Amino acid sequence: MEDSKYKSFLIKYAEIGVKGKNRYLFEEALVKQIKYALKKVEGEFAVRRTDGRIYVDALSDFDFEETAGSLQKVFGISGICPVVHVEDEGFEKLCEDVVRYIGDVYPDRDKTFKVAARRARKNYPLDSMQLNVELGGVILDAYPEMRVDVHQPDILLHVEIRDKIYLYSEIIPGPGGMPVGTGGKAMLLLSGGIDSPVAGWMIAKRGVKIDAVYFHAPPYTSERAKQKVVDLAKKVADYAGPVWLHVVNFTDIQLYIYDKCPHDELTIIMRRYMMRIAEHIAQETECLGLITGESIGQVASQTMASLAATNEVCTMPVYRPLIGFDKMEIVDIAEKIDSYETSILPYEDCCTIFVAKHPVTKPNLNIIKRHEQNLQEGIDELVEKALSTKEVIVVQA
Ligand code: ATP
Ligand code: MG
């Protein structure tokens, strides 16, 4: 069917337990995110809520693929149905419209179907049952190769009688999840790797708004490495709305640790300072948790003992949605959300320069804490300076 025939999209959403007041908040957040996603799409749209449904109406010409693609990045949407509007000019005309719709949308008509009519405007002369029967008959007359199947039809044709008449049968899958904004906010530790953007995406999918913090170490890490992180934040922002990215200059802290602590413990101590600083920013920005891309056993700093040592400095919950994932499973999601190509660009991230040849894999917390004592003299000042010089970049979809 010619794209321009579609005049609106019916947005389907499904989450068990979304009832009462929660339902209202869910829908409100969903509408907000839909509007946000459509801002960058060419064309004019109105998003409206009627009878417990959400419609996106096109008020101008629009690109079908681009519009549907943007809606496919709005968490909370389970399906997107492109809707054809026809004028109500009598039942005869409706029969013609329905036959044309089937003819246009389904070039291959060796299919079963069922009509599901809904009379939302009660003064229409035929009721839903009559519409189902009559329109079913009209379709069979026009296309004898089609058959009716009321249980598992290939095509479920919805006919909704409103001020206009809506016809739809196609469902484009949405991303599922919960609308961003219904679940509070969390701080993502975002590096230039494959894992952390995926971790942020997974938590955002549950309705959580995402802020991010990136520790960079100029001149050991380049501007291009930083730009890469901004680009990755944008991949998350494509789904989750604007991402406030806090860029913290970590160089002096890293050098200080390098100077004062055993090199095989460098990564762990550094990670502990990252978590401390991230938690500090998270508290200031009303985040309720931290998110990392850690997965058990992936590298020395992600053994159970290392994770325990890193975790020990935080009082906020730390969400690690990839904890039980294999690399391949993470890569699959990274490809799906289009972050993979950016993640594998070869720029140094700040951990790779200071890693020891043989980092401890079973850090002893008491020993780590003892060695952190070596930092006593200067670390507070350095942390304060890192916080006061941080840069905030608002990354839009
Ligand atoms: P990723 O692919 O996400 O970079 P990784 O496999 O490289 O992860 P690590 O370098 O051990 O693993 O980092 C573990 C987690 O710590 C990352 O997933 C990320 O959440 C956080 N992290 C690491 N480096 C940084 C950084 N420079 N800035 C912010 N967060 C970081
Ligand atoms: Mg990394």
Side-chain angles (χ1 to χ4, degrees):
M1 165 160 292
E2 226 177 279
D3 294 350
S4 57
K5 291 250 173 77
Y6 293 118
K7 283 288 180 286
S8 63
F9 296 89
L10 168 64
I11 304 300
K12 293 198 172 250
Y13 50 90
E15 265 288 334
I16 305 150
V18 180
K19 297 190 194 109
K21 181 158 167 275
N22 286 341
R23 184 189 174 106
Y24 179 81
L25 294 174
F26 182 100
E27 288 178 351
E28 201 169 37
L30 186 53
V31 167
K32 186 170 165 221
Q33 289 305 114
I34 290 172
K35 286 180 177 165
Y36 180 78
L38 291 173
K39 252 201 307 204
K40 63 177 193 301
V41 177
E42 221 174 304
E44 221 189 305
F45 301 92
V47 185
R48 88 191 135 92
R49 256 190 303 172
T50 22
D51 312 333
R53 287 160 169 240
I54 294 172
Y55 292 96
V56 173
D57 294 321
L59 307 176
S60 67
D61 285 346
F62 67 102
D63 184 282
F64 181 82
E65 298 295 331
E66 190 193 7
T67 309
S70 287
L71 292 171
Q72 280 187 291
K73 291 184 175 172
V74 178
F75 291 130
I77 294 181
S78 63
I80 302 149
C81 305
V83 181
V84 169
H85 292 193
V86 298
E87 297 296 333
D88 177 15
E89 291 164 354
F91 185 67
E92 295 278 295
K93 166 76 177 1
L94 177 59
C95 294
E96 287 167 24
D97 289 331
V98 164
V99 167
R100 183 165 346 103
Y101 176 94
I102 295 286
D104 286 349
V105 179
Y106 302 101
D108 168 22
R109 286 183 287 274
D110 185 18
K111 286 186 159 60
T112 60
F113 77 98
K114 173 186 173 178
V115 178
R118 184 161 175 253
R119 191 173 59 158
R121 178 160 56 75
K122 294 299 172 203
N123 66 358
Y124 196 78
L126 283 79
D127 69 19
S128 321
M129 279 308 290
Q130 291 168 321
L131 281 164
N132 288 344
V133 173
E134 295 294 326
L135 291 173
V138 166
I139 292 171
L140 286 175
D141 287 345
Y143 305 116
E145 66 273 40
M146 295 183 75
R147 284 147 292 131
V148 172
D149 180 344
V150 291
H151 301 296
Q152 277 194 313
D154 300 325
I155 303 169
L156 181 61
L157 174 64
H158 294 270
V159 178
E160 291 189 10
I161 312 288
R162 299 174 171 276
D163 46 342
K164 292 196 174 156
I165 297 172
Y166 294 1
L167 305 178
Y168 62 91
S169 55
E170 296 280 270
I171 302 182
I172 302 165
M178 303 278 286
V180 169
T182 53
K185 190 164 72 166
M187 181 64 71
L188 168 67
L189 282 87
L190 181 62
S191 67
I194 297 169
D195 307 326
S196 43
V198 172
W201 180 86
M202 285 179 69
I203 299 295
K205 184 163 186 265
R206 297 310 304 162
V208 178
K209 191 165 166 24
I210 304 290
D211 278 357
V213 55
Y214 166 57
F215 297 93
H216 84 143
Y220 303 98
T221 58
S222 63
E223 268 306 299
R224 291 209 300 179
K226 177 176 149 189
Q227 184 57 44
K228 175 179 164 183
V229 173
V230 173
D231 294 342
L232 289 174
K234 187 180 174 309
K235 299 296 178 189
V236 178
D238 279 343
Y239 286 86
V243 169
W244 287 54
L245 174 65
H246 302 261
V247 180
V248 174
N249 186 326
F250 203 55
T251 311
D252 290 346
I253 295 173
Q254 260 182 323
L255 290 173
Y256 193 57
I257 300 171
Y258 192 75
D259 202 31
K260 301 276 185 193
C261 300
H263 289 181
D264 61 347
E265 288 169 8
L266 219 62
T267 310
I268 292 293
I269 296 177
M270 232 173 54
R271 306 256 326 116
R272 282 164 59 92
Y273 275 94
M274 282 188 186
M275 297 302 265
R276 286 183 176 110
I277 293 173
E279 181 169 90
H280 185 95
I281 303 171
Q283 269 154 357
E284 278 187 339
T285 52
E286 290 169 359
C287 289
L288 296 172
L290 301 175
I291 306 164
T292 76
E294 290 159 315
S295 142
I296 296 171
Q298 207 186 70
V299 285
S301 60
Q302 298 178 22
T303 62
M304 290 290 275
S306 299
L307 287 164
T310 314
N311 200 64
E312 195 260 346
V313 298
C314 299
T315 55
M316 259 188 197
V318 181
Y319 298 105
R320 300 178 172 91
L322 307 180
I323 202 68
F325 280 34
D326 294 342
K327 198 73 185 184
M328 274 319 295
E329 294 171 302
I330 301 171
V331 166
D332 280 349
I333 302 178
E335 283 176 336
K336 189 171 92 178
I337 67 172
D338 193 35
S339 60
Y340 185 71
E341 290 297 316
T342 307
S343 287
I344 60 172
L345 293 173
Y347 318 128
E348 297 288 336
D349 75 35
C350 74
C351 302
T352 48
I353 288 160
F354 293 90
V355 270
K357 275 212 190 75
H358 302 289
V360 283
T361 52
K362 282 196 191 133
N364 177 314
L365 195 51
N366 289 325
I367 297 174
I368 297 280
K369 281 181 170 172
R370 198 182 322 139
H371 289 144
E372 279 183 358
Q373 296 286 316
N374 301 351
L375 304 167
Q376 236 175 10
E377 205 180 315
I379 195 73
D380 288 351
E381 200 181 316
L382 291 177
V383 167
E384 230 147 83
K385 186 169 162 225
L387 285 168
S388 66
T389 56
K390 83 176 160 65
E391 180 193 359
V392 180
I393 303 171
V394 181
V395 183
Q396 300 280 353

